Amino acid sequence: MRVWSSIAIAALMLGMAPAMADELQPETLHVEKVPDGPRDHWIWIGDLGAQHNVDTRAMLFDANKGKMLGMLSTGFWSAGVLLPKSTGHVVALETFFEKGTRGPRHDYVTVYDPQTLLPLHEIEVPPRRMTALVQTRMAGLTDDDRFVAITNFTPRQTMSIVDLQKNRFVAETDTPGCGQIYPAGPRRILLLCGDASLKSVTLDDEGKVVKQTDGKPFFDPFADPVITHAVRAGDDWLFVSLAGYIYQVDASGDEAKLREKWPLLTDSERADGWRTGGYQPLAVQKKDGLLYALMRKGPESTYEEPGDAVWVFDVATHKRVAQFDLANATLAIEVSQDAKPIVYGASMKTVVPYWSLVALTLLGQKFEQLDVVKPALDVYDAKDGKLLRTVDHVASFATSLQQP
């Protein structure tokens, strides 16, 4: 009886199939575009992908709405994106291996459409791009958005130049002992060198190196080394040292020179172990001339661990003008450049209560940090430090922030 019932049901369904097919219309595929509108509070979040390094990503968020607007897959161990203002394009440095995690390596500078986030140009460069956990200055744009400079490390140190106007690789130049990119004009780039100096490299209109000028050491790499992440204020680059000093470098001339050295900390604060923290510890609000510093307490070896406070300094007077605590442990900060600025924080939000972690530890349970925290985007009022909102689940491991 069951057999005949099954046969009858199958026959009925076969008879209905043509009618059902007529009712089900195929979905029309389309490309969702990034919306138009004010971009003052949009932010690109670099996701290093701690659990999927072969597929690092960059996500675009509207911080006002707490909404993701788009995402790029940027290949293996990405260095993040570059954002030329003149074109609005998104430029990513990408590495791929022909067999996924092995095989011949290919490095690209890929130019994406800012609305569709589809690739417009894919420019292959020598497969020697420097990759590291988080280094924000491994590549940079010249001030006119024409050329991309890329740090290579094999361990031979070289620099690759890409022309974004002609969408082509130009050349690779030896830069022995020097790496990290700090733009200083439409045809000029500074490189940080192992002897604590900045080498000045000048390009011609085709992107070829026509002049290199060695600078003088501007800090003591043994007594007070600086962090390679630096921020720009006009013609100056601001480097922070492990001991909490700002080394303000004048990059306007042929030779980069130390303008002045000034402290973020009092002697008592330095003795208490205060220092900058995280992977991206500095941000500059250009209009107001303010430096935002991500701070933490701990020994020197913890300088890359998350910060829990932001201190604000007037760049001109070197005075601290504000400070506020952060809602979550934070790895990177950035500040918007509009009339109502906000501070972005790439944070590690704890999802397990502290007392639970203590209890688990006492019971001998082992857990990874990524099992008990989730990456989030915290948004603060830059004037008073008030937490405006937290956007959860923004990445698997958010480590860098960049404004369009």
Side-chain angles (χ1 to χ4, degrees):
M1 186 67 179
R2 291 180 179 176
V3 173
W4 286 110
S5 298
S6 298
I7 293 173
I9 292 171
L12 179 61
M13 293 183 68
L14 285 171
M16 295 172 60
M20 293 173 64
D22 290 339
E23 294 175 5
L24 294 176
Q25 298 298 320
E27 181 180 355
T28 301
L29 298 179
H30 68 285
V31 176
E32 189 74 22
K33 292 185 177 182
V34 174
D36 293 324
R39 300 189 173 205
D40 290 339
H41 291 171
W42 289 10
I43 191 76
W44 279 97
I45 301 175
D47 182 4
L48 190 63
Q51 296 167 332
H52 52 83
N53 292 144
V54 73
D55 180 28
T56 53
R57 300 162 190 168
M59 278 85 66
L60 177 63
F61 274 82
D62 183 328
N64 287 344
K65 298 178 180 179
K67 178 183 178 183
M68 187 173 78
L69 303 175
M71 178 175 69
L72 296 176
S73 176
T74 50
F76 189 94
W77 214 257
S78 173
V81 295
L82 302 172
L83 303 168
K85 301 289 186 184
S86 57
T87 63
H89 292 154
V90 182
V91 179
L93 278 71
E94 303 173 342
T95 294
F96 300 97
F97 293 88
E98 289 187 6
K99 295 183 179 180
T101 57
R102 59 188 176 88
R105 167 178 167 169
H106 299 275
D107 286 8
Y108 299 95
V109 171
T110 305
V111 181
Y112 289 91
D113 183 283
Q115 285 196 305
T116 64
L117 298 186
L118 294 175
L120 297 173
H121 309 285
E122 195 174 73
I123 307 160
E124 189 157 10
V125 296
R128 291 181 277 278
R129 177 177 68 84
M130 180 179 174
T131 58
L133 177 59
V134 177
Q135 293 286 341
T136 59
R137 304 308 319 172
M138 289 189 292
L141 287 166
T142 54
D143 286 352
D144 61 354
D145 294 336
R146 171 77 183 274
F147 297 106
V148 176
I150 305 165
T151 296
N152 300 320
F153 189 77
T154 57
R156 174 190 173 197
Q157 288 182 281
T158 65
M159 178 178 67
S160 293
I161 299 294
V162 168
D163 187 337
L164 290 181
Q165 187 178 92
K166 298 181 179 179
N167 298 305
R168 67 184 183 92
F169 166 68
V170 176
E172 181 180 10
T173 301
D174 283 319
T175 57
C178 304
Q180 312 300 325
I181 309 295
Y182 306 89
R187 295 290 180 274
R188 191 159 155 268
I189 295 159
L190 302 179
L191 305 175
L192 184 61
C193 303
D195 67 351
S197 69
L198 284 164
K199 179 190 288 290
S200 174
V201 178
T202 304
L203 309 177
D204 64 15
D205 288 341
E206 295 300 314
K208 299 289 183 65
V209 174
V210 293
K211 183 180 179 181
Q212 296 192 39
T213 304
D214 293 328
K216 297 180 177 63
F218 66 93
F219 65 96
D220 188 327
F222 299 100
D224 192 25
V226 301
I227 298 168
T228 57
H229 172 76
V231 291
R232 199 169 177 183
D235 289 328
D236 293 355
W237 279 97
L238 277 60
F239 294 81
V240 64
S241 71
L242 295 189
Y245 289 96
I246 292 293
Y247 289 82
Q248 187 168 341
V249 176
D250 177 7
S252 61
D254 286 340
E255 180 184 332
K257 298 180 179 179
L258 179 66
R259 183 184 298 278
E260 53 188 326
K261 170 187 173 182
W262 49 277
L264 294 179
L265 308 168
T266 64
D267 291 340
S268 61
E269 289 166 344
R270 188 173 290 107
D272 285 343
W274 281 101
R275 65 187 68 256
T276 57
Y279 297 131
Q280 190 173 319
L282 300 179
V284 167
Q285 219 292 329
K286 299 174 185 177
K287 177 178 176 291
D288 297 327
L290 297 177
L291 174 69
Y292 289 74
L294 177 62
M295 306 299 295
R296 63 167 283 107
K297 250 188 182 183
E300 185 177 283
S301 60
T302 66
Y303 75 95
E304 283 190 331
E305 292 187 13
D308 51 23
V310 166
W311 295 1
V312 187
F313 298 83
D314 185 306
V315 175
T317 65
H318 310 160
K319 302 295 185 182
R320 190 190 312 169
V321 295
Q323 64 185 75
F324 56 89
D325 293 331
L326 298 173
N328 299 297
T330 299
L331 284 169
I333 59 170
E334 185 56 278
V335 61
S336 69
Q337 302 298 318
D338 59 308
K340 296 182 179 180
I342 59 174
V343 172
Y344 311 88
S347 69
M348 305 295 285
K349 182 180 178 183
T350 304
V351 295
V352 177
Y354 179 75
W355 63 265
S356 298
L357 300 182
V358 173
L360 289 170
T361 303
L362 292 175
L363 291 172
Q365 298 294 318
K366 294 183 178 181
F367 46 82
E368 298 293 331
Q369 184 182 25
L370 292 178
D371 294 333
V372 297
V373 296
K374 295 295 181 185
L377 174 66
D378 294 327
V379 183
Y380 301 87
D381 187 307
K383 301 293 186 182
D384 59 16
K386 178 183 178 182
L387 178 66
L388 302 177
R389 67 191 56 85
T390 293
V391 187
D392 291 324
H393 309 295
V394 296
S396 63
F397 190 32
T399 55
S400 63
L401 299 169
Q402 193 166 4
Q403 287 216 258

